[in-house]
Amino acid sequence: MFFKSNLFKLGIGILLGVIVFLIPRPEGTQYKITGDAGQKLYAQVSDSFELQPAKRGGYVLKSKQPGAADANGIYLKEQIAAAGLADVSVDYVDGLSPKAKRFLALLVFLIFMFVVEPIPLEITAILIGVGLVVMGVSGVEGAWAPYMHPVVLFIMCCLIFAIALDRSGLTKRLGYFIIRKAGTSVTRFTFIISIGLGWASGFMHDAAACAVGLVTMLPMMRAAGIEPHTKTAKFMMLSLPFACSAGGMGTLVGGGRNMVAAAFLKEFTGLEITFFEWIMYAMPMALVTVPAAVFMVYLVYRPDPNLRLPELDEELGPLTRTEIVTLIIVGLTFLTWLTKGVHGIHYSITGMLGVAVLTVTGCLKWEDINDNLEWGTALFIFGGGISLGLAMGYSGAGEYFANLFFPVVQGTGWLGLFIGVGIFGAIVTNAMANVAAAALILPIVIPMAQMEGVDPTVLALCLGMACSFAMLLVIGCPPNAIAYSYRYFKSVDLTKLGVVVMPVLLTILVIMAMIWWNILGLV
């Protein structure tokens, strides 16, 4: 039937983008001027604009007669060109710039494509770079460079380590160990491995924990005859990424968003959250939300109780040389990730060094990597997601929505700000890297917290933790993309689940913050 065809879905996606493109653009009333130290532009347009202070550099012009022909952004740019002020730029403070609007039209089209999947997600992800250039949102280099972002290389490291652990036999041992403890129950096996690695993801990074869990789980699923796209397959393959994402909030090193939140808090306020303080404030939430996430997946995708994992009576014997060497190399690499705050070397550098050592010692061959690595997932899907997220920031679309959204919760105290920041962060981080989401939102909400008399530490913690719930799109976070790469579920399956799980986990986060942080005296 034509209405169910991929061509029809593609047409709907394009139509949605065109509709957004044609909707009138909110011009706003304020414009930030940078690069004009002598305020020459203001001297020229002072009849139509009044001067306002800017939060960070430059100055703001507020229109005296909104809607007038000589009181909009285009008029200001014309005056800049006429005066020859080459280095002066105009940004829309409470309005939507033409570039941001073009970006939103593209974003709506791409999100629809990611959810309904009329073409392979890898091709949709390639269209991100193409679309950003065609729509004039980014230059060629700016659009393609994020496809080889350091985070993309880090994901590749995690996937390669999972391949190495699988080839050495260590994941087989882990699977045997869990089955001997849990029996052959699919449900018990999934709960144990997902919750265990979910809690561990705070210390070994959520992407790495998810990758290790998946390669342990897959042989068991194949042996049990669990087919892709069944409820059992979705339960098993979606429990791990959701648990690992939630667990990543537990420590400062569990995910880049935590580090960014702490760093921005110190830069803007001088307040510092230490490693142990973050654990004290956030780990209880991780301990609760991880099993809650797995339980929610269980409720949505109930596994078939008749399916049983194989009984494993085989004795594996002592660890082999390859297993020991692999374990040492991967363990030392994880140690360098945990101590990044001390040595400052990026995860991708130490990770790729570990990959090189694995091949030099013979634990892994290049053919193993080339034949088993999901190149399309890391390079295109996640790289494209980063490119899209960065564009949301520099196009001005992200700041526009932040300025539109946060005044709604202004004046509602710490709890209102916490809920508002949490919801906004959890939604925005689905369309951009959670590190970028934290970097975009914090500079906007920290001054608001200070004006409200709220400790900014509360919002920094909230944002770092809420950005762990990127559960709506495959591109939302690395665990989602890694799990999707095995093709046991469709993109829309993850979105349907995320719509249910994300609000529940956010609610748990708010309730626990009200109780636990009150006991600690933080709020």
Side-chain angles (χ1 to χ4, degrees):
M1 182 183 285
F2 175 72
F3 294 110
K4 291 185 178 180
S5 68
N6 288 334
L7 188 62
F8 178 75
K9 293 174 184 174
L10 184 61
I12 292 294
I14 294 172
L15 179 63
L16 289 173
V18 170
I19 290 173
V20 172
F21 185 76
L22 294 177
I23 291 175
R25 178 175 60 84
E27 173 74 19
T29 60
Q30 298 183 48
Y31 308 89
K32 184 177 180 182
I33 312 300
T34 51
D36 184 19
Q39 298 187 349
K40 294 178 182 176
L41 177 64
Y42 172 59
Q44 280 184 234
V45 300
S46 57
D47 289 342
S48 303
F49 293 89
E50 59 186 46
L51 197 61
Q52 300 282 319
K55 292 176 183 173
R56 284 172 289 157
Y59 60 90
V60 172
L61 293 178
K62 183 176 181 180
S63 170
K64 293 178 180 177
Q65 294 181 313
D70 61 348
N72 56 38
I74 295 174
Y75 175 75
L76 287 174
K77 290 179 180 177
E78 289 174 350
Q79 293 303 306
I80 290 170
L85 301 172
D87 297 328
V88 178
S89 63
V90 178
D91 293 309
Y92 290 66
V93 174
D94 57 351
L96 191 66
S97 69
K99 181 191 287 188
K101 190 186 170 192
R102 293 196 300 274
F103 169 79
L104 289 178
L106 178 65
L107 180 66
V108 168
F109 164 71
L110 290 168
I111 287 178
F112 182 81
M113 298 287 281
F114 272 117
V115 174
V116 300
E117 214 175 341
I119 58 177
L121 288 197
E122 288 82 356
I123 304 302
T124 299
I126 291 173
L127 289 179
I128 292 173
V130 175
L132 290 175
V133 176
V134 170
M135 296 293 281
V137 179
S138 174
V140 175
E141 289 186 4
W144 292 125
Y147 286 76
M148 195 48 79
H149 192 277
V151 176
V152 173
L153 291 166
F154 170 68
I155 293 174
M156 283 190 181
C157 292
C158 295
L159 291 169
I160 295 172
F161 283 166
I163 294 170
L165 292 169
D166 190 40
R167 286 287 177 272
S168 69
L170 284 166
T171 54
K172 186 177 179 182
R173 287 184 183 275
L174 177 60
Y176 275 40
F177 174 77
I178 296 174
I179 284 182
R180 284 173 179 167
K181 296 294 180 185
T184 57
S185 165
V186 168
T187 303
R188 277 202 299 273
F189 177 85
T190 306
F191 266 84
I192 288 175
I193 193 170
S194 300
I195 293 173
L197 286 171
W199 285 339
S201 66
F203 298 94
M204 60 189 292
H205 205 288
D206 51 14
C210 185
V212 170
L214 287 171
V215 294
T216 303
M217 188 180 281
L218 279 169
M220 307 299 169
M221 294 175 68
R222 290 173 185 140
I226 297 171
E227 297 292 331
H229 309 297
T230 59
K231 283 192 174 183
T232 304
K234 293 171 189 173
F235 165 63
M236 298 184 79
M237 295 298 283
L238 285 166
S239 291
L240 258 173
F242 277 35
C244 292
S245 293
M249 75 167 81
T251 78
L252 205 50
V253 299
R257 67 270 189 186
N258 304 342
M259 284 284 193
V260 167
F264 270 61
L265 178 69
K266 186 174 182 180
E267 182 177 338
F268 284 98
T269 67
L271 298 172
E272 184 171 7
I273 307 177
T274 65
F275 185 83
F276 291 104
E277 283 175 336
W278 188 285
I279 290 178
M280 181 174 65
Y281 293 132
M283 184 55 83
M285 283 69 157
L287 292 176
V288 173
T289 53
V290 166
V294 181
F295 183 65
M296 291 298 296
V297 181
Y298 172 77
L299 291 180
V300 175
Y301 294 122
R302 289 286 185 107
D304 184 348
N306 297 318
L307 287 171
R308 312 294 295 180
L309 297 175
E311 293 184 7
L312 305 171
D313 299 326
E314 177 188 354
E315 289 298 329
L316 297 178
L319 290 170
T320 64
R321 174 199 170 273
T322 302
E323 287 175 320
I324 294 171
V325 175
T326 301
L327 203 56
I328 291 172
I329 295 169
V330 174
L332 287 175
T333 306
F334 278 15
L335 187 62
T336 63
W337 291 349
L338 284 171
T339 54
K340 178 180 177 291
V342 177
H343 54 72
I345 303 174
H346 193 267
Y347 303 108
S348 61
I349 301 299
T350 49
M352 283 301 178
L353 179 62
V355 170
V357 177
L358 281 170
T359 55
V360 169
T361 54
C363 297
L364 196 62
K365 296 177 181 177
W366 168 248
E367 289 76 15
D368 295 327
I369 300 173
N370 191 47
D371 294 343
N372 296 284
L373 182 61
E374 294 294 337
W375 299 96
T377 299
L379 278 176
F380 297 142
I381 295 180
F382 201 70
I386 293 174
S387 183
L388 190 67
L390 292 177
M392 188 168 184
Y394 61 67
S395 71
E399 193 161 357
Y400 169 73
F401 282 113
N403 284 315
L404 198 68
F405 182 77
F406 288 125
V408 175
V409 294
Q410 202 163 10
T412 56
W414 80 269
L415 187 57
L417 279 173
F418 185 99
I419 295 172
V421 169
I423 293 173
F424 190 75
I427 293 174
V428 168
T429 196
N430 281 280
M432 64 171 62
N434 44 30
V435 171
L440 170 72
I441 300 171
L442 267 178
I444 298 169
V445 298
I446 283 179
M448 285 181 59
Q450 291 171 321
M451 284 190 292
E452 297 279 313
V454 174
D455 186 346
T457 306
V458 172
L459 296 187
L461 284 162
C462 166
L463 195 57
M465 292 190 286
C467 286
S468 299
F469 303 144
M471 297 169 172
L472 295 179
L473 295 176
V474 168
I475 59 170
C477 63
N480 294 355
I482 291 170
Y484 174 80
S485 68
Y486 294 98
R487 301 296 194 272
Y488 271 74
F489 60 87
K490 291 183 177 179
S491 176
V492 70
D493 297 325
L494 184 143
T495 302
K496 286 178 182 174
L497 182 63
V499 169
V500 178
V501 176
M502 198 176 80
V504 173
L505 296 188
L506 277 173
T507 303
I508 293 173
L509 186 64
V510 172
I511 293 172
M512 289 201 65
M514 291 171 64
I515 299 171
W516 179 240
W517 290 357
N518 191 38
I519 293 171
L520 295 178
L522 183 63
V523 295

